[in-house]
Amino acid sequence: MGNKLIVVGASGFAKEVGWLAEECGYVLKGFLDDSPAYIDAQVLNKPVLGTVDDWINFDDCEFIVGIGAPKTRSAIVEKMKALGKPKFATLIHPNVVKSKYVHIGEGGIICAGVIITTDVEIGDHIVLNLNCTVGHDVVLRDFITIAPMVAISGNVTLNDCVEVGTGASIRQGITIARNSMLGMGSVLTKDIESSSLYFGVPAKKIKNME
């Protein structure tokens, strides 16, 4: 019998995270969500056990924040930590391919099909979704969300709360500053400044996000 785990969040991505938890050998106890729409609801045939603050009633469980938006995920983690010391799981699908030269922080979600090569530093509460590739000497800081089928070349740095859309590609040596977003299908060939949205082939700045 595996450890018990609760997913924080109950919408679409949280369902995928619940499935991932089961694939990783956890016993999925249920979900927590602040939305009134999920009161007394069932998700993946498991109960929504209460709101986010109710985590303190389940000290025998580990937790994972199944929310895709980086800033929201960060705010939820801070909200939970304000009440105590939750034990955050790190979920790595069994078929992920990674070298022993990879460091992964707490609360990470690494989905099926991901490949991570060598000398990669991954921070806390990141999401690497289905079939992403991460090259050598990459730094992924905290609360980053990488959508499915993203290709990250070597020597790339992504700072806190960066989001990269489905199917995007990032050239080697690029830095993306915090709170920025690269749109789906984009090809990034130059650095991105903070709090900016870039999109296109090659990717160009579309707007400020502050």
Side-chain angles (χ1 to χ4, degrees):
M1 184 73 70
N3 292 346
K4 291 183 286 187
L5 182 134
I6 294 174
V7 177
V8 181
S11 60
F13 183 58
K15 291 192 289 185
E16 295 182 345
V17 174
W19 171 49
L20 173 60
E22 293 178 329
E23 291 290 294
C24 292
Y26 280 91
V27 175
L28 181 60
K29 186 175 179 70
F31 297 80
L32 298 173
D33 199 291
D34 286 341
S35 172
Y38 291 109
I39 295 175
D40 298 324
Q42 293 274 317
V43 179
L44 300 184
N45 298 316
K46 303 293 183 180
V48 176
L49 300 162
T51 63
V52 173
D53 287 349
D54 289 325
W55 76 264
I56 59 174
N57 299 320
F58 301 98
D59 58 4
D60 61 336
C61 294
E62 296 180 47
F63 301 88
I64 192 80
V65 182
I67 295 171
K71 289 183 179 179
T72 304
R73 193 162 66 252
S74 175
I76 291 294
V77 168
E78 290 307 307
K79 183 179 183 182
M80 294 175 70
K81 287 183 175 180
L83 296 176
K85 295 182 178 180
K87 184 177 181 181
F88 290 108
T90 295
L91 303 183
I92 302 174
H93 192 277
N95 78 0
V96 167
V97 177
K98 65 179 183 68
S99 76
K100 64 182 180 180
Y101 309 105
V102 176
H103 175 266
I104 301 170
E106 73 171 9
I109 297 168
I110 303 181
C111 299
V114 171
I115 300 173
I116 309 171
T117 65
T118 60
D119 292 328
V120 176
E121 291 289 329
I122 297 176
D124 296 339
H125 301 282
I126 62 90
V127 173
L128 279 169
N129 217 313
L130 301 164
N131 297 318
C132 294
T133 59
V134 181
H136 64 88
D137 299 290
V138 165
V139 177
L140 304 178
R141 303 202 190 279
D142 301 338
F143 300 103
I144 289 170
T145 296
I146 309 297
M149 297 182 291
V150 169
I152 302 174
S153 300
N155 290 300
V156 165
T157 297
L158 274 58
N159 286 290
D160 294 351
C161 293
V162 163
E163 187 168 3
V164 180
T166 300
S169 300
I170 303 175
R171 196 196 71 185
Q172 70 274 12
I174 294 295
T175 296
I176 301 181
R178 67 191 318 269
N179 297 325
S180 287
M181 178 184 292
L182 177 64
M184 64 183 299
S186 297
V187 176
L188 186 62
T189 60
K190 61 181 180 180
D191 293 349
I192 290 182
E193 59 195 43
S194 64
S195 303
S196 301
L197 170 63
Y198 276 64
F199 179 76
V201 181
K204 297 180 180 179
K205 186 175 180 178
I206 302 300
K207 65 178 182 179
N208 293 322
M209 295 178 62
E210 289 184 329

